[in-house]
Amino acid sequence: MEHKELICINCPMGCMLSVDIDDNGEMTVTGNNCPRGDVYARKELTNPTRIVTSIVKVTNGELPVVSVKTKEDIPKDKIDAIIDELKDISVEAPVLIGETILKDVAGTGVDVIATKNIGRV
Amino acid sequence: MNKHVSILVIGGGPAGLAAGVSAYKAGIKDVLIIERDVRLGGILNQCIHNGFGLHTFKEELTGPEYAARYISQVEELGVPYRLATIVTDLQLSDDGHTKIVTTMDEQGGLTVYEADAVILAMGCRERARGALNIPGERPAGIYTAGTAQYFVNLEGRMPGREVVILGSGDIGLIMARRMTLEGAHVKLVAELQPYSGGLKRNIVQCLDDYGIPLMLSHTVVKIHGDKRLTGVTIAEVDDKLSPIPGSEKFYECDTLLLSCGLLPENELSGQLGVNLSPVTFGAVVNESLETSVPGVFSCGNVLHVHDLVDYVSEEATAAGKHAAEYIQSGIVESAEGGSDEKVTRVITDGGVRYSVPSLLRADHMADLTTIRFRVGAVYKDVDVVTYADGRELARLHKRVMAPGEMEQLILRKSDLISEGVPSEYRITIENKAGQ
Ligand SMILES: Cc1cc2nc3c(=O)[nH]c(=O)nc-3n(C[C@H](O)[C@H](O)[C@H](O)COP(=O)(O)OP(=O)(O)OC[C@H]3O[C@@H](n4cnc5c(N)ncnc54)[C@H](O)[C@@H]3O)c2cc1C
Ligand code: SF4
């Protein structure tokens, strides 16, 4: 029997979750104020994921960079590889919010999209 | 010639946008939002991380995406706004009814508006002075975390490579992750208090994920470097927050970020004679989010510092609606209650630092009123208890409460006045450990 404590990051409530893992790997989650905490605890202990947000260079834009995010959450250990790929690219203004900036980033199968409009100057 | 507007909104951040949209939807088309920046959205433009809008939109958006939802409502409805225009002066007319608002645009052009109602939505700024209690010259390389956020996220520039962060406010935590991802080495976050000022989820996602230590009860006692910062000395503090001799340790760094809390930006409110709270530094407001000056409303971070933009939008929507009602009623009443109206004061004690609103006029209350408050220390397994003139109204058990997280409760009017309008509504904390 194993015991783990973690904090749910799904919303700012930040519930403190207690997870008991029995000898068969069965998990029992307590301390969550909603079902998403249960899902989070199981995933965090088996396959932790995050949404990655960053910026990408823009040419001829009203700002030199545009904010971007991974469209879905990606495995936590891919964060560095994603940031590195984003450093190497640049896009041409105008950029529209929701527009795909990079497909299948770092082999995750997830696209990176713009989170802001950048007008052309 | 002065221009007349029904409702003038100062600030085009999430609070100003939601207030403007709400007033417009409530039937007052003659609204004007004044924003000093070249774009709408306020501070959200630089908050590129996700975690916004879970309550409102049931999805997790980044700051700019959240702002875009409200900006598109403003555009679609055609709510009037002016950009790159700053409100420089706010006065009352001689009869006390009209608010005289002076604005200046980029070319230095002055416009004077006569507004029937004003919504204060100027947001907050970061505490910079006082955060670092060290006398003497400051070398280059010391920034507030928000300034660094602006450089990195809007201009794509890094302020430095070897970073120490003082203060564990959310912006500091977010910037610890951001600068790490951009290739900087964030050595540590030092926090004077024995608890973090930021949300727990930010400590997990921004520090723990990257192995950045959070040193509670520690502060910067010495800054090194003449022209450019070369390092800081950090010491542990005792329970009176004084540095403990012998605990000093030197850390080499070229950048020090300060994340020591936010202060409502209320210089204009002061000019108008709005009563400000000594606790929040925001306006004292009633159930309609109206300040001590009739027809002047306040919402968002200029009213009290929020950690969740969802609540900013919710509060601002209420303020916009109340401002519209004020115009539509055509009656100018005292915000602190008419002479014969009984006003309930909201009293906070036992660890509750303040509440918004702090005055309740029963006649103006809706069935349900949201009361937001913060506590002054970390509490575990306690009860939040409310009383109307000593009569217990509600008791709510809380597993954890912390100064960094805003709390809210919903007050039912019928409960409050079931035995007549009380003079006092009290919010307190009971059953603290061992009691
Ligand atoms: C530097 C900083 C970073 C932040 N980062 C985060 C974060 O990462 N996550 C988070 O949840 N919250 C963050 N916050 C809190 C955030 O402010 C709120 O979530 C939310 O943006 C508050 O909305 P608001 O409209 O009240 O204020 P703001 O967004 O600050 O908007 C106020 C607007 O009023 C304008 N204004 C002020 N004075 C005048 C004037 N005299 N004339 C005309 N216009 C004026 C300003 O230009 C600004 O656009 C941050 C706050 C700051 C100060
Ligand atoms: S368990 Fe639910 S309520 Fe608690 S932090 Fe997670 S998402 Fe929020």
Side-chain angles (χ1 to χ4, degrees):
Chain A
M1 174 103 165
E2 207 188 334
H3 183 81
K4 288 240 163 78
E5 299 266 331
L6 30 130
I7 292 170
C8 178
I9 59 167
N10 275 299
C11 89
M13 287 274 291
C15 293
M16 293 202 237
L17 310 176
S18 289
V19 189
D20 284 320
I21 310 165
D22 72 12
D23 299 335
N24 301 323
E26 265 313 300
M27 295 187 199
T28 315
V29 182
T30 50
N32 51 313
N33 270 314
C34 82
R36 297 198 320 162
D38 189 278
V39 175
Y40 171 78
R42 287 165 201 277
K43 200 161 146 204
E44 186 68 11
L45 294 177
T46 49
N47 170 30
T49 63
R50 298 285 185 269
I51 298 266
V52 175
T53 61
S54 190
I55 50 171
V56 163
K57 285 186 218 76
V58 176
T59 43
N60 300 317
E62 56 183 352
L63 283 173
V65 291
V66 59
S67 53
V68 300
K69 69 171 183 186
T70 53
K71 205 169 171 185
E72 280 143 42
D73 45 355
I74 51 85
K76 206 168 127 181
D77 58 13
K78 290 283 187 184
I79 294 178
D80 286 342
I82 292 175
I83 296 284
D84 283 345
E85 279 196 17
L86 293 178
K87 282 205 179 100
D88 292 338
I89 60 169
S90 81
V91 290
E92 179 83 20
V95 183
L96 283 180
I97 191 165
E99 184 178 317
T100 301
I101 300 291
L102 186 62
K103 278 196 162 334
D104 184 18
V105 64
T108 54
V110 174
D111 294 349
V112 169
I113 60 172
T115 56
K116 200 186 269 187
N117 292 317
I118 301 285
R120 203 181 161 85
V121 287
Chain B
M1 252 285 286
N2 295 351
K3 291 185 184 164
H4 174 265
V5 285
S6 292
I7 301 179
L8 189 137
V9 182
I10 310 178
L17 294 171
V21 164
S22 160
Y24 192 92
K25 280 186 178 164
I28 306 294
K29 306 276 187 264
D30 185 20
V31 185
L32 178 63
I33 301 172
I34 304 280
E35 170 54 53
R36 68 178 166 202
D37 203 341
V38 294
R39 56 181 68 81
L40 293 172
I43 217 80
L44 290 183
N45 286 310
Q46 69 185 63
C47 303
I48 65 163
H49 56 281
N50 61 314
F52 299 87
L54 261 171
H55 286 256
T56 316
F57 298 112
K58 305 288 173 245
E59 58 180 307
E60 211 172 322
L61 303 172
T62 63
E65 290 174 307
Y66 185 94
R69 300 273 168 118
Y70 281 90
I71 295 171
S72 57
Q73 286 191 51
V74 164
E75 303 284 2
E76 277 160 26
L77 292 169
V79 180
Y81 62 86
R82 281 186 70 187
L83 296 176
T85 304
I86 182 166
V87 173
T88 54
D89 193 69
L90 186 56
Q91 303 287 339
L92 272 186
S93 63
D94 290 338
D95 67 5
H97 291 173
T98 307
K99 290 87 199 167
I100 319 272
V101 188
T102 308
T103 65
M104 191 169 76
D105 62 27
E106 270 178 312
Q107 287 75 40
L110 292 182
T111 311
V112 179
Y113 293 94
E114 293 187 357
D116 297 325
V118 165
I119 301 178
L120 306 169
M122 290 90 79
C124 56
R125 61 161 184 268
E126 294 176 279
R127 260 178 227 265
R129 234 185 308 160
L132 249 189
N133 234 335
I134 305 163
E137 291 282 304
R138 295 265 183 273
I142 306 178
Y143 307 91
T144 66
T147 306
Q149 195 179 39
Y150 185 92
F151 286 158
V152 177
N153 292 345
L154 286 184
E155 298 184 342
R157 287 197 286 144
M158 282 285 277
R161 291 285 152 194
E162 293 290 319
V163 185
V164 167
I165 300 180
L166 175 62
S168 60
D170 286 312
I171 311 166
L173 300 178
I174 301 274
M175 284 312 291
R177 171 176 63 185
R178 195 66 199 108
M179 292 195 64
T180 303
L181 289 176
E182 289 296 323
H185 176 216
V186 179
K187 298 198 154 158
L188 63 104
V189 176
E191 167 61 57
L192 180 68
Q193 301 291 340
Y195 52 82
S196 161
L199 297 172
K200 284 184 231 110
R201 70 192 302 251
N202 286 336
I203 295 174
V204 175
Q205 294 188 100
C206 302
L207 300 187
D208 298 353
D209 271 8
Y210 299 92
I212 301 167
L214 170 60
M215 294 168 66
L216 298 174
S217 300
H218 278 79
T219 193
V220 171
V221 291
K222 194 166 179 344
I223 306 266
H224 304 263
D226 294 328
K227 285 213 169 73
R228 176 82 204 186
L229 184 69
T230 54
V232 294
T233 301
I234 291 190
E236 194 176 344
V237 299
D238 60 22
D239 49 13
K240 295 194 182 62
L241 307 182
S242 317
I244 300 172
S247 68
E248 298 88 357
K249 212 177 150 204
F250 176 76
Y251 291 88
E252 204 178 301
C253 62
D254 59 16
T255 307
L256 175 65
L257 298 188
L258 307 174
S259 180
C260 302
L262 302 168
L263 269 185
E265 193 143 9
N266 267 309
E267 286 68 21
L268 289 171
S269 324
Q271 285 179 11
L272 199 62
V274 163
N275 287 344
L276 298 181
S277 153
V279 181
T280 59
F281 302 105
V284 171
V285 293
N286 63 26
E287 75 301 321
S288 303
L289 302 171
E290 189 179 19
T291 67
S292 58
V293 179
V296 177
F297 299 80
S298 181
C299 54
N301 274 1
V302 77
L303 177 55
H304 56 144
V305 175
H306 293 66
D307 3 83
L308 260 189
V309 74
D310 300 77
Y311 294 154
V312 169
S313 304
E314 205 180 289
E315 187 174 271
T317 300
K321 186 173 137 264
H322 293 307
E325 285 160 4
Y326 170 87
I327 301 289
Q328 283 151 349
S329 74
I331 318 165
V332 181
E333 293 174 280
S334 163
E336 287 170 341
S339 48
D340 53 351
E341 190 182 8
K342 203 165 166 202
V343 178
T344 305
R345 296 199 174 265
V346 186
I347 309 283
T348 55
D349 58 19
V352 181
R353 280 182 63 228
Y354 74 87
S355 72
V356 166
S358 54
L359 294 170
L360 300 169
R361 297 172 305 170
D363 289 352
H364 292 75
M365 281 173 76
D367 292 342
L368 301 174
T369 303
T370 304
I371 312 244
R372 302 201 155 98
F373 62 96
R374 274 182 201 270
V375 293
V378 177
Y379 295 107
K380 290 203 169 122
D381 280 315
V382 290
D383 291 344
V384 174
V385 194
T386 55
Y387 295 94
D389 282 345
R391 177 170 57 91
E392 184 174 318
L393 291 185
R395 182 174 287 269
L396 191 75
H397 185 75
K398 283 275 181 185
R399 284 182 66 209
V400 195
M401 298 176 90
E405 315 207 3
M406 190 186 287
E407 302 284 341
Q408 68 174 44
L409 51 88
I410 309 286
L411 171 62
R412 191 180 294 277
K413 177 178 168 180
S414 54
D415 291 345
L416 181 73
I417 60 167
S418 65
E419 292 179 14
V421 177
S423 56
E424 204 179 282
Y425 170 69
R426 192 156 77 94
I427 310 172
T428 191
I429 299 175
E430 294 181 3
N431 286 328
K432 286 176 218 146
Q435 280 178 18

